[in-house]
Amino acid sequence: MFTVEYLRQFRIAGYAIFDFAASFIGVALLAPLLSKLFSKFHISVPKKNWLLLTLPLSILIHLLFGQMTKMTEDFLDPNGFYILKGIIGILTIWGLQGIKKIPK
């Protein structure tokens, strides 16, 4: 029987592949609902942008709830992990570029 701990043991650069897959699948499934919710506030957020913002939002949410994952700790480390910080920065910029205000 597969358990979550078994699935989380497979890693790339110390990060669990299962966590990435679950995050992106979850956001892909929730994107239409989230886009519809934001459209009520006259903001258009395409599904692609939700996927691009998955990792930056996950770091932010983990910080808000005090859950220090390896990626959150690495991102906050002032003495290294510059590639991770660059990737998160690029994903944030790309993710915010397609968001538009819907005229009333």
Side-chain angles (χ1 to χ4, degrees):
M1 174 189 249
F2 288 108
T3 63
V4 174
E5 288 304 316
Y6 173 75
L7 294 172
R8 293 187 78 228
Q9 78 180 358
F10 303 103
R11 299 178 179 272
I12 294 177
Y15 305 117
I17 298 169
F18 176 76
D19 292 345
F20 281 113
S23 296
F24 284 105
I25 290 169
V27 168
L29 293 173
L30 288 175
L33 237 117
L34 291 169
S35 292
K36 190 172 186 175
L37 175 69
F38 272 74
S39 70
K40 293 185 188 281
F41 298 104
H42 304 288
I43 300 171
S44 170
V45 184
K47 182 177 183 178
K48 176 187 87 167
N49 292 71
W50 286 115
L51 292 173
L52 289 170
L53 291 170
T54 300
L55 293 180
L57 287 174
S58 69
I59 290 174
L60 179 65
I61 290 169
H62 281 103
L63 282 173
L64 289 173
F65 287 98
Q67 296 292 322
M68 297 303 288
T69 63
K70 179 167 176 22
M71 183 177 290
T72 306
E73 289 174 353
D74 292 349
F75 182 76
L76 294 176
D77 183 6
N79 299 319
F81 302 100
Y82 299 112
I83 293 174
L84 173 65
K85 292 172 186 173
I87 290 170
I88 297 300
I90 289 169
L91 288 173
T92 302
I93 291 167
W94 284 349
L96 293 175
Q97 281 183 343
I99 299 174
K100 297 179 181 158
K101 186 170 181 172
I102 302 171
K104 292 182 180 182

